[in-house]
Amino acid sequence: MKAKVEYMQKIRLSLETGSTPDTESASASFPTIEFVYGLGSSGLTPFEFALAQKTVGDEVQLQLQPNQIPEFFGHIRIPAVHASGGSDSIALKARILDISPASSREVVRTLADVANCGDSCCGCH
């Protein structure tokens, strides 16, 4: 039985951008992103809702306006992403690479990060 994205799980994923959120248009990829699911100070972020109950190998494709990114990702640290190809929106594809139980240390570190960054730590500023 495959692990699913749920509370207190450490999620590792890849992130790509492109002109559209499909695989063929990928124009930039970033180092893997890791975070503990469900520890935001305001509850789940819209991004976490999009990942809910997904399993390893699943992909989430998104089309966002640049001003939506801080609220969409909230406390989850992502690299700065920019619109490409003259588009006003940003196409993102996140692929789940690993799901594992978060250790106590990872939970404490995440809670400290959330306390330090407030409602938005996405790296997009």
Side-chain angles (χ1 to χ4, degrees):
M1 186 168 150
K2 285 182 154 183
K4 291 184 178 180
V5 174
E6 49 192 28
Y7 286 98
M8 304 299 287
Q9 296 282 42
K10 181 172 67 172
I11 312 301
R12 186 169 56 93
L13 52 87
S14 63
L15 186 65
E16 294 179 345
T17 61
S19 55
T20 61
D22 58 29
T23 306
E24 293 77 33
S25 75
S27 61
S29 59
F30 301 93
T32 59
I33 298 164
E34 287 187 355
F35 65 96
V36 178
Y37 183 88
L39 293 183
S41 61
S42 300
L44 293 178
T45 66
F47 182 61
E48 288 173 309
F49 274 116
L51 294 174
Q53 298 299 306
K54 302 279 192 258
T55 62
V56 172
D58 287 349
E59 295 179 351
V60 175
Q61 297 181 358
L62 311 161
Q63 192 83 32
L64 301 169
Q65 297 298 315
N67 64 341
Q68 294 175 304
I69 290 184
E71 182 179 331
F72 193 81
F73 288 95
H75 67 281
I76 300 169
R77 293 184 185 270
I78 65 163
V81 295
H82 306 285
S84 62
S87 174
D88 290 338
S89 64
I90 300 170
L92 299 170
K93 180 181 73 170
R95 179 182 173 95
I96 299 171
L97 302 174
D98 190 44
I99 301 169
S100 60
S103 69
S104 298
R105 183 177 185 172
E106 290 164 327
V107 169
V108 169
R109 184 176 55 231
T110 298
L111 290 171
D113 284 348
V114 168
N116 285 331
C117 72
D119 291 334
S120 179
C121 271
C122 71
C124 52
H125 303 291

